[in-house]
Structures are given as structure tokens and as C-alpha cells.
Amino acid sequence: MSYKLRFVQKFEQKNTDAFVELERKFAEFEKMYPEFPKGKRYFPYIARDPQNTLIWEAEFDTLEQLIEAKRFLENDNRHEELFQQQVKYFVESYTEIYKSFDE
């Protein structure tokens, strides 16, 4: 069974450029450092959420791997420094965890 970790971050439309620039730095971390969880980023095109929402998601084989990745992101200083720059643009943020529908 696989699991998906999803971070949903809504920001004010007027801050799109600054928010996206910081998110690009997070993406660079994922490329530069093998220990960083690798995720995909999405903006809603046609969805329930407005276009000023960023969705980051990654899949994991086990719930334990997902929890380990989440802990890593919460405790890594490089990630935290960048997060503190970006969080000031948040209007709303939440985390979702999904498990696969395996029959």
C-alpha cells in the first residue's frame, strides 16, 4: 500500500511572484540534496481551490517513510529558514495524508 503526503498552501494573489520564487528555492533543495523528499508541485487549473494555491505532494511506499520525510522537513534547518521566509505569505496551509485504494 502506498501513501501520499500533500501540503496545500494558499497565499494572497498579490504575492504570487515572491511566493513562487521561494518555492523555486525549495525545488532546488530537492535537486541539490538527496536527503530531501522529492515532490511534485501543482497550481489548480480547474479545481475547488483558487489558483493562488500551491500543492506539493510526494508518494511513499509506507506510512513510516512518509512520517520520516515529514519529520525531516520539520527539523531540517535549511528547510526551516526558507519556510520562515515563505510562511509570511500564507493565508491558509494544511497537510493531507492519503493511503492508496488497494483492493
Side-chain angles (χ1 to χ4, degrees):
M1 182 174 306
S2 64
Y3 292 85
K4 182 178 289 191
L5 174 61
R6 180 181 285 174
F7 298 128
V8 180
Q9 303 165 339
K10 296 180 182 181
F11 53 92
E12 290 187 26
Q13 192 81 35
K14 68 182 181 182
N15 296 322
T16 298
D17 291 342
F19 189 90
V20 170
E21 182 57 35
L22 289 165
E23 193 59 36
R24 282 191 175 102
K25 292 180 181 180
F26 282 112
E28 284 300 314
F29 279 177
E30 290 177 20
K31 290 177 187 173
M32 286 186 345
Y33 303 111
E35 65 272 23
F36 268 78
K38 310 300 184 241
K40 290 187 177 183
R41 291 161 175 80
Y42 300 92
F43 288 109
Y45 186 68
I46 298 173
R48 170 189 65 178
D49 292 315
Q51 291 180 339
N52 56 315
T53 303
L54 176 86
I55 299 165
W56 178 94
E57 63 182 35
E59 293 200 19
F60 300 89
D61 293 331
T62 67
L63 183 57
E64 290 77 19
Q65 290 173 339
L66 183 150
I67 291 168
E68 183 180 317
K70 190 171 178 307
R71 278 193 192 124
F72 173 83
L73 294 173
E74 291 169 348
N75 294 313
D76 182 82
N77 289 337
R78 298 162 294 183
H79 182 275
E80 184 62 23
E81 286 178 25
L82 198 52
F83 178 76
Q84 288 305 317
Q85 293 175 45
Q86 194 180 48
V87 74
K88 64 184 175 186
Y89 298 117
F90 286 11
V91 172
E92 180 181 4
S93 175
Y94 52 92
T95 300
E96 299 174 332
I97 297 175
Y98 297 91
K99 69 177 184 174
S100 64
F101 180 79
D102 293 331
E103 294 185 53

